Amino acid sequence: MHASLWVFGYGSLIWNPGFPVAERRIATLEGWHRSFCMRSIHHRGTVERPGLVLALDRAEGAACTGVAFRVAPGAEAAALAGLRERELVSSAYLEMTLPVATGTGFVDAVTYVIDPDHAQYCRLTREAQARIIARAAGGRGTNRDYLWATTAHLAELGIADPDLDWLASRVRDLS
């Protein structure tokens, strides 16, 4: 018997979890907010021309709504290994197990949050974010496609994120 493994997705994991999913629940993580606060030098940018990817940044009074995924039974070890390969490529994310609230109670979910002491951490204005996202590309594609896929999937799920909606519109204007 395997213990259930839950994973909290707030960005690309929402639309591309990369592991077999047994169950999905809309979930909210208190004390963190979704933010383009991580320079991407692998997936959506390069060392010479970094892009930006979403990360969870700690903030008092904040909350991030995303999706809690229960990994299919028997796939837990492979899912965790794949997530670590994908998410910990540059060690800018920290892997934490955090309680997320779902419609049927709390689950403890593996969650990837930004390390605010890492060189890839940044705090930029939304306009600066939009200008970077409009032009950056990396090993997994363009930064703008990452933004647009995330906003589209959040909208499909009924999850409001006005900052991402503004960015998506502004990047369209710049592209």
Side-chain angles (χ1 to χ4, degrees):
M1 181 80 140
H2 295 272
S4 289
L5 174 64
W6 288 88
V7 177
F8 182 65
Y10 54 87
S12 63
L13 286 176
I14 290 174
W15 45 273
N16 183 21
F19 52 83
V21 174
E23 182 180 355
R24 288 175 173 80
R25 297 183 193 170
I26 301 296
T28 301
L29 176 62
E30 298 290 333
W32 300 84
H33 70 100
R34 178 180 16 250
S35 174
F36 275 101
C37 63
M38 183 172 134
R39 294 190 190 279
S40 177
I41 58 174
H42 300 286
H43 298 315
R44 301 295 172 167
T46 63
V47 172
E48 299 77 23
R49 195 173 202 169
L52 294 171
V53 290
L54 290 165
L56 288 173
D57 200 7
R58 189 184 298 271
E60 192 172 325
C64 177
T65 300
V67 178
F69 297 97
R70 184 169 58 85
V71 177
E76 295 88 355
L80 200 52
L83 284 166
R84 287 174 174 161
E85 183 178 327
R86 171 181 172 174
E87 303 297 331
L88 302 179
V89 65
S90 68
S91 72
Y93 284 126
L94 302 173
E95 182 182 279
M96 301 177 77
T97 300
L98 298 170
V100 296
T102 74
T104 56
F106 282 87
V107 296
D108 290 328
V110 172
T111 307
Y112 293 94
V113 304
I114 190 72
D115 177 354
D117 296 323
H118 196 277
Q120 287 174 253
Y121 178 70
C122 61
R123 285 202 170 170
L124 303 170
T125 65
R126 285 189 308 174
E127 180 63 25
Q129 292 172 28
R131 292 187 179 283
I132 291 168
I133 292 167
R135 64 168 172 70
R140 292 204 177 186
T142 68
N143 213 166
R144 64 183 172 270
D145 286 345
Y146 168 84
L147 166 64
W148 293 335
T150 302
T151 56
H153 284 84
L154 288 172
E156 284 175 16
L157 294 168
I159 299 171
D161 192 317
D163 287 341
L164 259 56
D165 292 340
W166 183 92
L167 276 171
S169 176
R170 182 67 180 129
V171 168
R172 278 188 181 84
D173 292 344
L174 293 169
S175 296

